[in-house]
Amino acid sequence: MEGEPEVAVLRLGHRPGRDERMTTHVGLTARALGADRIVIAGEASGPKGTIEDITDRFGGPFDVELTESYRSLLNSWEGAVVHLTMYGLPVQNLEDDIRDAHADAPLLVVVGAEKVPFDVYERADYNVGVTNQPHSEVAGLAVFLDRLFGGRELDRQWSGATHRVVPKATGKQVEPLEDQ
Ligand code: SAM
């Protein structure tokens, strides 16, 4: 978020065709809940386009990149690497340490699709479980980011939007923004 060290999400294991919607939702969740950037390993031009369209319409900053060599990103990352996995240590036990690590350095948050290669577990500074029950990368990422930011992400300010949602008790309203 603005004025803070970067938080990037690395999406591993995207399977073209099968994972289009899930990978899109990982990206939209990352954007909505305070991350600055997503890097998707593999051929994910569909999700990339959808996430960029949403960013163009509802604001950023938020970047989407594709990579064929995620290990070079992992190995060169200058900051802590968090891997979200049902096999990890409880998020509630690690969140303070991770927040401290992020206070003055960027953070890379890794989420998988199917099986994540074991070297990712070894490279991670923190293997983090959001419960030790199997669920979804979207849910794990959402809870983790909310814990990381302590709820501040809910008041994130957006720039460059062409539209905004007007909160309503009932009904739906989207209004165009001027001066963009
Ligand atoms: N058994 C798989 C594994 O963890 O290797 C579960 C794959 S799950 C369908 C896809 C992704 O969701 C995982 O790679 C992980 O990032 C995330 N995930 C699933 N359950 C989680 C949990 N309890 N805590 C944190 N992340 C989780």
Side-chain angles (χ1 to χ4, degrees), residues 152-164:
R152 287 179 295 111
E153 81 285 358
L154 300 178
D155 295 314
R156 182 176 188 174
Q157 301 300 305
W158 301 97
S159 58
T162 58
H163 292 76
R164 78 169 189 115

Side-chain angles (χ1 to χ4, degrees), residues 8-161:
V9 172
L10 173 60
R11 164 59 158 172
L12 297 183
H14 172 78
R15 294 160 291 185
R18 179 169 174 172
D19 285 327
E20 303 295 315
R21 197 157 180 272
M22 192 60 107
T23 297
T24 300
H25 285 196
V26 168
L28 295 180
T29 300
R31 171 189 166 276
L33 298 185
D36 301 290
R37 176 162 70 111
I38 185 167
V39 181
I40 306 170
E43 171 35 49
S45 49
K48 179 177 190 286
T50 303
I51 300 161
E52 288 174 339
D53 285 349
I54 294 290
T55 301
D56 288 346
R57 190 166 157 85
F58 291 108
F62 188 76
D63 291 324
V64 188
E65 295 160 38
L66 305 182
T67 183
E68 294 298 332
S69 58
Y70 73 85
R71 284 191 172 88
S72 62
L73 174 67
L74 269 178
N75 294 331
S76 65
W77 187 258
E78 294 179 358
V81 174
V82 169
H83 170 219
L84 298 182
T85 166
M86 60 183 280
Y87 305 108
L89 298 175
V91 64
Q92 60 270 35
N93 295 354
L94 293 178
E95 62 180 299
D96 289 347
D97 288 351
I98 296 171
R99 230 181 273 116
D100 287 350
H102 177 240
D104 56 7
L107 194 68
L108 184 64
V109 185
V110 184
V111 298
E114 225 174 11
K115 197 171 177 183
V116 172
F118 196 69
D119 62 315
V120 176
Y121 290 74
E122 294 177 317
R123 166 63 185 95
D125 298 289
Y126 304 96
N127 287 292
V128 176
V130 177
T131 77
N132 293 110
Q133 303 297 322
H135 51 80
S136 119
E137 48 273 48
V138 174
L141 181 62
V143 170
F144 175 77
L145 290 173
D146 188 61
R147 292 274 174 149
L148 176 70
F149 293 122
R152 287 179 295 111
E153 81 285 358
L154 300 178
D155 295 314
R156 182 176 188 174
Q157 301 300 305
W158 301 97
S159 58

